[in-house]
Amino acid sequence: MTSTAVHLPLPRIPRVRGAAGRLQDNPVVGNKRVLLAAPRGYCAGVDRAVVAVEKALERYGAPVYVRKQIVHNIHVVSELEEKGAVFVEEVDEVPPGAHVVFSAHGVSPAVVDAAADRGLHAIDATCPLVTKVHREAVRFARDDFEILLIGHEGHEEVEGTAGEAPDHVTIVNSPAEADTVQVKDPSKVVWLSQTTLSVDETMETVNRLRTRFPEMHNPPSDDICYATQNRQVAIKKVAANADLVIVVGSANSSNSVRLVEVALEYGAKAAYRVDYAEEVKQEWLDGVATVGVTSGASVPEVLVREVLDALDGAGYRDVEEVKTAEEDLMFSLPKELRQDASGQRDARALGDARLVEAPRR
């Protein structure tokens, strides 16, 4: 069973900086404070993808084309555009012979083939953890399993994974859909998932599927990425003690949206997502003593710092970091970018103890 891809437009959010000190320091019951979740922000896959575009611009010069948003963050996309990156929906918009970067969310084999047909110089910045799921889909399809792919239809990552084995994949969007999905052979079913989902919702979906298909196979390892899990664990701890949670991240960032939902599920009285500090509303702070702050896995730390500065102006000067995990993983750059134009090896190439070679497609 196959799904119909839904192509989402690239959002553009013009930034209008608010005046300094626009949030008022109104009195509340108790001491004002901020609980700052850690880990937060950039994960290894996002860092690798953003650096890949920057290195491609340095090596080949502008323009360098990027299929879809390199990562789901409007600030990152806007900064890369200013440096000469051109974001397109599909590779047929890229001039023949040009350089094109595939985003961190991955692409299907059909996109790879289309780029080759146009003579494009493709640089694959797919997160290695997404590539792992792609390889699982190929292997299970080769063994004639039906693949129940838990994820959001229309998301680039889901499109890419489903495209690896379109005749074997059925997308399951939610726990409710687990109750109605049909399979041909319940003994030859396996589940895989989008890497940026809510851990709790994914396992609810898996449990419902297993009730209907007791012989369903598990993936060889957890598909939800380490960074998504770590950020959700951290915000759960913060939310239990927060009157308000602010998540910095873009609307099309699945993991950022999930952080808002997780915060509400785990005790926050209110939770909102913002792209920029200027979007924080005064009324959100009414009667609020404790504000939790975190950010999605595609958000640069500078945007979090701007939110903290805005809250500082409103009297939230006591900042306590709530740390639940340490992250030091880095992924090696795509092979095309491991040397600069002069042939010198890039520091991000290979060899650092924290660097992990991206799996081959």
Side-chain angles (χ1 to χ4, degrees), residues 177-358:
E177 287 194 9
D179 297 334
T180 59
V181 66
Q182 299 296 318
V183 301
K184 291 178 293 186
D185 182 356
S187 69
K188 292 279 285 186
V189 177
V190 63
W191 70 271
L192 301 177
S193 76
Q194 181 181 332
T195 63
T196 55
L197 299 179
S198 159
V199 178
D200 295 336
E201 183 176 348
T202 299
M203 294 317 300
E204 180 184 351
T205 302
V206 170
N207 292 336
R208 289 199 192 187
L209 288 171
R210 194 169 300 286
T211 297
R212 299 185 60 215
F213 312 121
E215 297 179 73
M216 182 177 68
H217 291 244
N218 295 320
S221 60
D222 190 357
D223 285 346
I224 304 295
C225 92
Y226 77 94
T228 297
Q229 295 187 57
N230 287 347
R231 281 146 191 72
Q232 290 177 14
V233 169
I235 201 58
K236 287 176 184 179
K237 189 169 183 179
V238 167
N241 299 291
D243 303 308
L244 165 70
V245 166
I246 297 173
V247 176
V248 186
S250 291
N252 62 336
S253 167
S254 178
N255 72 88
S256 297
V257 173
R258 298 289 83 72
L259 287 171
V260 174
E261 297 171 351
V262 170
L264 292 170
E265 290 169 6
Y266 279 80
K269 297 179 177 64
Y272 300 97
R273 180 202 56 77
V274 299
D275 272 287
Y276 296 112
E278 293 82 13
E279 299 169 33
V280 177
K281 297 182 179 180
Q282 182 68 49
E283 55 264 33
W284 296 352
L285 303 175
D286 290 348
V288 167
T290 301
V291 181
V293 175
T294 190
S295 59
S298 53
V299 178
E301 182 68 6
V302 63
L303 300 183
V304 176
R305 292 296 154 186
E306 290 180 0
V307 169
L308 295 178
D309 288 346
L311 291 172
D312 182 275
Y316 298 88
R317 301 181 182 94
D318 178 11
V319 179
E320 175 188 345
E321 189 169 65
V322 179
K323 181 174 290 188
T324 57
E326 294 281 353
E327 293 180 354
D328 62 359
L329 180 66
M330 294 175 68
F331 293 129
S332 62
L333 289 173
K335 61 182 183 299
E336 298 87 354
L337 303 173
R338 292 176 190 168
Q339 293 180 340
D340 61 23
S342 66
Q344 291 291 109
R345 168 174 269 185
D346 191 277
R348 283 287 303 270
L350 288 172
D352 187 297
R354 297 178 300 165
L355 293 183
V356 178
E357 173 76 8

Side-chain angles (χ1 to χ4, degrees), residues 113-173:
D113 292 343
D117 289 344
R118 291 184 67 78
L120 304 181
H121 300 282
I123 299 168
D124 189 358
T126 301
C127 173
L129 301 180
V130 174
T131 299
K132 176 185 75 72
V133 181
H134 283 213
R135 296 172 72 183
E136 291 169 354
V138 170
R139 180 167 68 84
F140 283 113
R142 187 185 303 125
D143 293 337
D144 202 29
F145 275 81
E146 286 186 73
I147 301 167
L148 300 180
L149 178 58
I150 301 170
H152 299 135
E153 191 165 5
H155 191 282
E156 289 104 293
E157 182 185 329
V158 172
E159 289 181 4
T161 302
E164 295 283 358
D167 295 332
H168 290 78
V169 170
T170 298
I171 298 171
V172 182
N173 282 279

